[in-house]
Amino acid sequence: MSGTHIAFYRFVRVDDVAAVCARLTELTDGLLGTVLVATEGVNGMLAAPSERIEEFVSAAACDPLLSTAFDGMVYKRTAYERIPFSRTLIKAKREIVPLGVDGLDMPARVDDVAATDVPPHEWRELIRRDDVIVLDNRNSFEFGVGRFKGAVDPGVVNFRDFRDYVEQHAPQWRAEGKQVAMYCTGGIRCEKSSPWMQDLGLQVHQLQGGILNYFKEIPDADADFEGECFVFDNRVTLDTGLRDVGRERSEIDG
């Protein structure tokens, strides 16, 4: 069964998390995937036949309760042949992606995040500079499946561990005058990290839209990226052409 997979997130103030969850539960009837909602925003992945996905996108954008978050939302669309998800889950959370830094008000830091964005067509030149540390903002398992050439693996298991790694290395990076260029799968982990890293006195850059956006925008992405990109659904990995490689999770777990 073929269809469209969408990945999306937005840091925006959500006043009534329970009400937003309830409305999303109604609008995602017939779709599969997960949407997380917190006071700091929304983060989701959904899959369905293409026409049903576009119905959701249109409805969410003009819904009185959801439009603040969903009108103008950036969606990353990929086609699928294998159904990516087996259920639908709409869930309220403390954070839509858990960095675990107290007092980090992401909706108030949107402009700071935007200032760190590097468009895909500028990324290649940036990561080849000698004064830049290329930092993978994912876990070691994901890094092992595929990575940008020359990138550093922070050696983390969970995203919360990334904070400890950065705090340990920030003094050295500052002393050496190093800038940090980081990337993740779709951008959300980098966006969550970047204002906090700026507060540490680091000059930070992040790949706009993450690895998947780079694959979409750069035809020869395989010149910079080795391996495949792990994705959090039943497709397991995508190649640099955003194609399902056909792997099973057991092939890469060992």
Side-chain angles (χ1 to χ4, degrees), residues 66-95:
L66 303 180
S67 60
T68 299
F70 283 88
D71 187 18
M73 176 75 79
V74 175
Y75 293 93
K76 298 178 185 67
R77 291 172 170 83
T78 52
Y80 67 81
E81 297 297 330
R82 286 194 290 179
I83 298 175
F85 307 107
S86 57
R87 63 172 183 168
T88 307
L89 177 65
I90 312 297
K91 190 169 184 178
K93 301 285 283 186
R94 182 174 179 271
E95 300 176 80

Side-chain angles (χ1 to χ4, degrees), residues 9-13 40-41 96-97 106-107 110 188 191-192:
Y9 66 88
R10 192 177 204 173
F11 289 106
V12 61
R13 193 126 5 241
E40 69 174 5
I96 57 172
V97 59
M106 288 303 299
V110 170
I188 189 170
E191 285 204 15
K192 188 66 178 279

Side-chain angles (χ1 to χ4, degrees), residues 138-165:
R138 302 175 300 158
N139 63 45
S140 289
F141 173 79
E142 295 170 86
F143 182 90
V145 174
R147 71 216 66 82
F148 279 99
K149 296 174 182 177
V152 174
D153 175 14
V156 305
V157 176
N158 299 306
F159 180 48
R160 288 178 182 271
D161 303 329
F162 183 75
R163 178 182 61 179
D164 293 336
Y165 178 86

